[in-house]
Amino acid sequence: MGELLAKQRNFFHRGYTLDIHFRKEQLKRLQHAIEQHEQELLDAMYTDFHKPQTEAYATEVGFVELELKLTLKNLIKWTKPQRVKETLLNFPSRSYIHFDPYGVALIIGPWNYPFQLLLNPLIGAMAAGNCAIVKPSELTPTTSAVVAKMIQEHFNDAYIATVQGGVETTQHLLKQRFDYIFFTGSTQVGKIVMKAAAEHLTPVTLELGGKSPAIVAEDADLSLAARRIAWGKFLNAGQTCVAPDYLLVHEQVKEELIQLLSHYIESFYGEDPMQSPDYARIVNERHFKRLSGYLKDGVIRAGGTTDLTQRYIAPTILDQVTWQHSVMQEEIFGPILPVLTVGSLEEAIHMVRQHEKPLALYFFSSNSQKQDLVLKHTYFGGGCINDTISHLVNPNLPFGGVGQSGMGSYHGQSSFDLFSQQKSVLHRGTWVDLPMRYPPYGDKLPMLRKLFRWL
Ligand code: NAD
């Protein structure tokens, strides 16, 4: 790893990546590589955990392709030094922000979106002119192998390389001195990454998880809410960082909402979701067992069946759940939706605020005052009013967490900005040199004070 890093650092110092045309060429090469490997990638994700091909295309391969297209279209604009307003104190001058690459970036990915969550940050790193080592998840070995093969076939490893392996490999990587670390994964491992980065004072982005609530008010369009919540929750069998983790629903509409949710589960996945081609499996036995343990909490209102041989857990709704239940102690990250009842919106807001700031929050209501109230009084990474997950689809919205759900945000231009060091440069005019700042100061203070107050 040390050797690979040295090779990349050397490549970086030679300055190839500073050339915008080089960056564009390499991004196009990535585009071509993805096109070439598209079916192989979709098949690999199906092999790893039965990820439905339509979902794998929309949320992984197609999603990355859109990001690439957007980046290629805007790269020249993004990389241009940005002129900013002057201050009279520096008269005469011009000021610019230059966007410099950091150097060699390390990108560590999770298993749940094993392609997108590795490749989207990579696009940002490349666009900003960095070299990068990507470390895919060991829990999706088939997809990780295809990604590694694709990168190896299309890129010089002195520029972009993959390192495969488990926890130990990641720990070795983290001992090296990188210039930027981009990590997507659990809050627990995020802390390990940040500690390791602190050793070298390497800047980090942490894209973590948490318990993201969906709040449903009594005036919401319940049928639409149920359909959109069921979609967001059971997409990828609930193994989505921004999936609604639990429901906070007004007591007046709880029964109707549960019935509607059950209805949409059946309309999406049929009477027996195990037979559905559109429903994923749990990634491994450890997570299957962890999730199965939650089924003893509360009262099962839909689903609740499991099959270890297939690592299948039915889309499940748990009613009468309280914060004391084990399902409410950690991020669920699976197809189990606990329902908690509240008597008012204020109570729901209070509950959210009593817990860690979530990665996402979803609020369903047709009342704009209530919408404002929720937005003003809850803190979360990003979210939607009257929908789930879709905020991710807009590349103009920076995506990231806050507090325990992460730090830093990316997508679209935010990715370019994230992987760029903003270098501030002042060009000072030479035709005049006002004497105000130079000693001896004599009686300049009153005049200086006047000037500062006037500015
Ligand atoms: P994880 O933290 O277990 O693993 C992520 C990466 O860290 C893997 O590549 C793994 O090799 C490495 N790793 C694991 N343990 C390590 C250790 N002790 N030391 C060093 N490296 C270690 O996460 P996961 O299970 O792959 O993914 C699920 C988590 O990721 C969930 O919490 C989910 O919410 C979060 N997530 C967040 C986002 C986001 O964009 N914010 C997206 C997807 C997933």
Side-chain angles (χ1 to χ4, degrees), residues 174-206:
L174 287 171
K175 283 199 182 118
Q176 313 294 322
R177 181 175 175 172
F178 283 91
D179 302 299
Y180 203 95
I181 299 178
F182 187 102
F183 171 80
T184 308
S186 60
T187 301
Q188 189 195 350
V189 180
K191 290 179 186 173
I192 297 173
V193 171
M194 195 161 171
K195 269 190 198 147
E199 197 56 41
H200 302 293
L201 287 180
T202 301
V204 287
T205 292
L206 302 176

Side-chain angles (χ1 to χ4, degrees), residues 78-106:
W78 294 343
T79 48
K80 274 207 181 103
Q82 186 188 323
R83 180 142 188 213
V84 295
K85 253 180 105 173
E86 296 312 327
T87 161
L88 211 65
L89 290 173
N90 280 335
F91 180 81
S93 67
R94 280 172 293 122
S95 296
Y96 294 90
I97 300 169
H98 292 254
F99 299 94
D100 276 0
Y102 280 97
V104 181
L106 170 64

Side-chain angles (χ1 to χ4, degrees), residues 109 111-112 117 135 138 170 184-186 189 207-209 241 331:
W111 55 264
N112 60 333
L117 295 173
K135 153 62 185 82
E138 65 278 18
T170 320
T184 308
S186 60
V189 180
E207 296 284 340
L208 312 176
C241 55
E331 180 183 14

Side-chain angles (χ1 to χ4, degrees), residues 36-324:
Q36 224 181 335
H37 292 270
E38 179 179 311
Q39 194 52 48
E40 211 180 336
L41 284 163
L42 298 182
D43 291 343
M45 286 183 261
Y46 189 83
T47 306
D48 279 331
F49 59 116
H50 210 310
K51 194 185 275 254
Q53 301 235 331
T54 312
E55 280 184 17
Y57 180 76
T59 63
E60 305 247 22
V61 180
F63 196 82
V64 169
E65 283 173 345
L66 285 178
E67 181 84 357
L68 259 171
K69 237 177 22 192
L70 180 91
T71 306
L72 277 164
K73 190 171 160 214
N74 292 290
L75 191 62
I76 291 181
K77 189 170 80 193
W78 294 343
T79 48
K80 274 207 181 103
Q82 186 188 323
R83 180 142 188 213
V84 295
K85 253 180 105 173
E86 296 312 327
T87 161
L88 211 65
L89 290 173
N90 280 335
F91 180 81
S93 67
R94 280 172 293 122
S95 296
Y96 294 90
I97 300 169
H98 292 254
F99 299 94
D100 276 0
Y102 280 97
V104 181
L106 170 64
I107 298 168
I108 304 173
W111 55 264
N112 60 333
Y113 289 84
F115 182 69
Q116 188 231 121
L117 295 173
L118 209 58
L119 269 287
N120 256 21
L122 177 64
I123 294 167
M126 289 168 71
N130 299 279
C131 295
I133 292 178
V134 296
K135 153 62 185 82
S137 172
E138 65 278 18
L139 300 192
T140 42
T142 323
T143 313
S144 299
V146 178
V147 171
K149 185 177 80 166
M150 183 184 92
I151 287 178
Q152 195 189 7
E153 274 174 13
H154 292 84
F155 293 96
N156 179 350
D157 68 352
Y159 172 46
I160 307 292
T162 313
V163 170
Q164 290 196 79
V167 173
E168 241 176 71
T169 308
T170 320
Q171 284 167 347
H172 280 304
L173 276 169
L174 287 171
K175 283 199 182 118
Q176 313 294 322
R177 181 175 175 172
F178 283 91
D179 302 299
Y180 203 95
I181 299 178
F182 187 102
F183 171 80
T184 308
S186 60
T187 301
Q188 189 195 350
V189 180
K191 290 179 186 173
I192 297 173
V193 171
M194 195 161 171
K195 269 190 198 147
E199 197 56 41
H200 302 293
L201 287 180
T202 301
V204 287
T205 292
L206 302 176
E207 296 284 340
L208 312 176
K211 287 184 91 61
S212 301
I215 306 172
V216 182
E218 67 278 27
D219 56 30
D221 177 337
L222 289 185
S223 178
L224 193 74
R227 194 157 63 230
R228 292 180 175 174
I229 291 169
W231 172 75
K233 178 70 186 186
F234 302 114
L235 176 83
N236 210 30
Q239 301 163 112
T240 302
C241 55
V242 287
D245 185 274
Y246 64 97
L247 265 188
L248 287 176
V249 55
H250 194 281
E251 57 196 7
Q252 278 174 18
V253 292
K254 183 190 91 168
E255 252 333 292
E256 196 181 342
L257 186 70
I258 290 181
Q259 276 165 27
L260 285 162
L261 281 164
S262 310
H263 162 77
Y264 284 116
I265 290 173
E266 195 175 322
S267 94
F268 292 170
Y269 306 110
E271 257 176 49
D272 180 8
M274 191 146 80
Q275 308 305 327
S276 167
D278 299 326
Y279 188 64
R281 297 298 181 259
I282 305 307
V283 72
N284 63 17
E285 208 174 303
R286 179 169 70 83
H287 283 292
F288 174 87
K289 287 191 171 149
R290 178 182 64 82
L291 290 164
S292 303
Y294 295 147
L295 296 174
K296 61 182 182 339
D297 289 348
V299 174
I300 294 173
R301 295 289 302 271
T305 53
T306 66
D307 183 333
L308 174 60
T309 58
Q310 285 207 30
R311 299 193 314 274
Y312 163 82
I313 296 181
T316 298
I317 299 172
L318 289 181
D319 192 7
Q320 294 176 35
V321 173
T322 68
W323 286 99
Q324 278 66 51

